[in-house]
Amino acid sequence: METTLRGVGVSHGVAIGEVRHMGTAVLEPPAKQIPADEAEREQGRARQAVEAVAADLIARGNLAGGEAQHVLEAQAMMAQDPELMADVERRIAVGSTAERGVYDAFASYRALLAGAGEYLAGRVADLDDVRNRIVARLLGVPMPGVPDSDEPYVLIARDLAPADTALLDPALVLGFVTEEGGPTSHSAILARALGVPAVVALPGAGELAEGTLIAVDGSTGEIFVEPSDAKRAELESAAAARKATLTAATGPGATSDGHKVPLLANVGGPADVPAAVEAGAEGVGLFRTEFLFLDDSKQAPSEEKQIAAYRAVLEAFPEGRVVVRVLDAGADKPLDFLTPADEPNPALGVRGLRSLLDHPDVLRTQLTALSKAAEGLPVYLEVMAPMVADRADAKAFADACREAGLNAKFGAMVEIPSAALRARSVLQEVEFLSLGTNDLAQYTFAADRQVGAVSRLQDPWQPALLDLVALSADAAKAEGKSCGVCGEAASDPLLACVLTGLGVTSLSMGAASIPYVRATLAKYTLAQCERAASAARAADSAEEARRAAQAVLSGE
């Protein structure tokens, strides 16, 4: 009998197939004591396992490329954390086996992360995956992971570690469903990059029996269990119609009455550029530069290395717009040479622009490298600061740009509610705003983007978040300046129409989402988008806002 479940749709498309479950978690190793004379050998085993797991994660990242590479490299750094390894060796020195020492040390570190604020608590799943890989290697058992199958299937998991998501084969994994996670979790971001339909935060997903036929709608978040022939035909027809619409929609982003809405790509480095170009991106709306700095947490990359990486991206968009975010370090992206190691709550501490202003030499080198990378290129370079709180922050960044002789527009990211509430003040110092809706939602609702239990508060359809977007867009219009969105909200085609109606002037997203957004925008006039935006803001919940906007755009 057909039943319907609902989670959070995070990656567009429809997948119909049989359920296959992720492998079970590594068992807890026994707590047995070893003789003192075996401690050195066990410590060596632990170090070898850690290095092997870190190397494997880096190798997987190199194979995957793009966003996945950056996530996996960060995970490898987590495995090699010197303080964590020192704790493992201390535990072995007093009698633990290598596997038990790893297990207990990671458990202790896990408890610290869980209580260390939103960003670090959100990395618990990544830490668990690293622990499982190390313990599995020490025990000599297979690492739990994506099941072996000769036939395509829908993958079900409690959560998906980045190392598993990054190397999913879209030819076999038709889609995936997780019990945990949120719309901006690593799994969700990587699913969009892969173009795999996905639904997260579905309680009870693990109870779906192996081999059960299900249909996954990654746009609506609906899961149809044992769908009827009629439902399957309906979903397949809708998917075919959607594909035809995508194929027909080409050219720059615009509403049906010609209101231009540039569609830009979010990229993490040169590896992401080919997909963006193929999708018809009109430029880059968010160039995350952290990938360069995460290679070595002990020191910043040289100016020459930065110039080469930046130029590779700038050259791909001749006469296009490229918006670069300067280094956003801290919280879940700690760097030994830049961020404090003893903050009680790193997400609310010295991160983003605050870190850079504390280390002006790092900011100066990056701005100089960007300036040199753009020399002689017909590109419209724009540079923005992360985590701007007020006009003083904006002025400090603008002054640094001028002092570095940067020939570019400089702007501020709106990720903190204070920046949205005082957007006109911020715009006295910078030339544009860019809304990072992922962090803006976190800080508005005190809801970690990695925690499925609070996923309703991470939903970018929340009316309070739309209010902050409207405040920012209105301020930019009043000042004659631009206000884009570069957070994950822009990748939702229906929400993209609402953002356009709120006055947002450009939309930036993962390359895989650009065709969907382009096709949807082209169906509606600007006036329809404005009415949908008003209806969404008048609602009292995210679900009501979504339904209200849909009703307006469908003419109900």
Side-chain angles (χ1 to χ4, degrees):
M1 178 179 175
E2 180 181 311
T3 57
T4 304
L5 308 173
R6 182 182 289 275
V8 178
V10 295
S11 185
H12 306 300
V14 172
I16 302 175
E18 292 186 357
V19 164
R20 294 287 182 274
H21 285 271
M22 199 75 169
T24 57
V26 173
L27 295 176
E28 180 179 346
K32 66 179 183 181
Q33 290 291 106
I34 60 169
D37 60 359
E38 292 184 14
E40 187 174 344
R41 179 179 66 84
E42 289 295 288
Q43 289 171 342
R45 287 182 64 227
R47 285 193 294 271
Q48 288 174 0
V50 165
E51 291 305 318
V53 166
D56 179 62
L57 289 168
I58 290 171
R60 285 169 176 259
N62 290 336
L63 282 173
E67 181 71 33
Q69 184 172 3
H70 314 143
V71 171
L72 292 175
E73 286 174 351
Q75 219 182 350
M77 288 173 60
M78 184 182 285
Q80 295 171 306
D81 182 279
E83 291 187 14
L84 187 52
M85 194 62 223
D87 189 21
V88 171
E89 294 188 346
R90 280 194 298 269
R91 292 172 187 275
I92 294 173
V94 295
S96 288
T97 61
E99 45 266 42
R100 188 69 205 193
V102 167
Y103 189 90
D104 289 342
F106 271 73
S108 177
Y109 196 35
R110 188 185 199 278
L112 288 174
L113 284 186
E118 295 172 3
Y119 270 90
L120 292 182
R123 298 300 171 255
V124 164
D126 294 1
L127 184 71
D128 287 348
D129 180 59
V130 172
R131 177 205 63 203
N132 288 349
R133 290 175 186 278
I134 297 171
V135 171
R137 182 170 287 272
L138 287 166
L139 291 174
V141 300
M143 177 61 209
V146 178
D148 290 329
S149 176
D150 295 328
E151 297 296 325
Y153 59 90
V154 176
L155 181 63
I156 306 292
R158 182 180 62 81
D159 200 357
L160 280 171
D164 294 315
T165 315
L167 296 183
L168 289 179
D169 181 356
L172 282 176
V173 182
L174 302 172
F176 67 76
V177 181
T178 65
E179 293 193 53
E180 299 182 1
T184 57
S185 65
H186 280 155
S187 292
I189 292 170
L190 294 178
R192 285 189 285 271
L194 288 166
V196 176
V199 171
V200 301
L202 179 69
E207 297 172 12
L208 291 168
E210 189 87 359
T212 302
L213 183 69
I214 65 171
V216 178
D217 190 328
S219 300
T220 66
E222 291 175 304
I223 306 293
F224 302 96
V225 182
E226 299 290 2
S228 64
D229 290 343
K231 174 57 72 175
R232 291 183 63 176
E234 176 190 331
L235 290 170
E236 289 168 349
S237 175
R242 191 178 298 161
K243 185 175 181 180
T245 301
L246 293 179
T247 303
T250 58
T255 58
S256 64
D257 55 341
H259 175 73
K260 293 185 188 306
V261 187
L263 303 181
L264 312 171
N266 294 342
V267 304
D272 293 338
V273 167
V277 172
E278 185 179 349
E282 297 168 59
V284 173
L286 173 62
F287 178 8
R288 305 179 185 93
T289 57
E290 292 79 63
F291 79 101
L292 275 171
F293 294 80
L294 292 173
D295 284 345
D296 184 353
S297 68
K298 305 296 183 186
Q299 61 182 357
S302 67
E303 182 180 303
E304 291 71 25
K305 183 177 181 180
Q306 292 189 54
I307 290 170
Y310 302 150
R311 194 170 180 89
V313 174
L314 296 175
E315 286 177 336
F317 296 95
E319 301 184 8
R321 178 186 178 198
V322 176
V323 184
V324 179
R325 180 178 70 191
V326 294
L327 176 61
D328 184 14
D332 64 330
K333 292 169 284 190
L335 295 171
D336 293 346
F337 67 89
L338 196 67
T339 51
D342 56 353
E343 288 188 307
N345 192 338
L348 301 179
V350 182
R351 62 164 297 202
L353 179 61
R354 299 167 188 174
S355 294
L356 293 174
L357 294 179
D358 280 353
H359 298 80
D361 54 324
V362 175
L363 177 58
R364 187 183 309 112
T365 299
Q366 184 170 25
L367 294 174
T368 301
L370 284 165
S371 181
K372 291 180 179 178
E375 285 179 1
L377 295 180
V379 66
Y380 297 96
L381 177 63
E382 301 184 11
V383 182
M384 61 186 181
M387 301 302 292
V388 170
D390 56 15
R391 182 173 179 173
D393 278 352
K395 183 179 188 304
F397 179 65
D399 286 347
C401 290
R402 282 188 283 264
E403 288 168 11
L406 188 63
N407 182 25
K409 286 186 175 181
F410 26 89
M413 290 197 71
V414 177
E415 301 165 284
I416 302 173
S418 62
L421 294 168
R422 300 287 294 170
R424 288 198 71 171
S425 174
V426 170
L427 283 165
Q428 302 311 302
E429 305 294 343
V430 294
E431 299 171 80
F432 68 92
L433 299 177
S434 183
L435 288 140
T437 51
N438 306 353
D439 270 321
L440 187 57
Q442 282 201 119
Y443 289 119
T444 299
F445 298 105
D448 187 343
R449 58 197 272 190
Q450 296 292 116
V451 177
V454 292
S455 61
R456 76 173 187 87
L457 297 172
Q458 303 154 357
D459 194 323
W461 281 93
Q462 283 284 355
L465 189 65
L466 300 181
D467 288 344
L468 292 175
V469 173
L471 279 173
S472 303
D474 288 347
K477 183 177 181 180
E479 294 296 328
K481 297 180 179 179
S482 63
C483 176
V485 168
C486 64
E488 291 299 316
S491 66
D492 179 335
L494 182 61
L495 186 51
C497 294
V498 167
L499 295 172
T500 298
L502 292 174
V504 166
T505 56
S506 65
L507 299 166
S508 189
M509 64 209 76
S513 297
I514 291 175
Y516 290 92
V517 173
R518 180 190 292 119
T520 305
L521 267 178
K523 292 164 57 177
Y524 305 110
T525 65
L526 176 60
Q528 285 176 298
C529 292
E530 290 171 341
R531 288 197 296 273
S534 295
R537 288 184 67 191
D540 290 320
S541 70
E543 186 55 39
E544 288 177 15
R546 186 184 286 106
R547 284 200 301 267
Q550 181 67 69
V552 169
L553 294 177
S554 62
E556 295 178 9

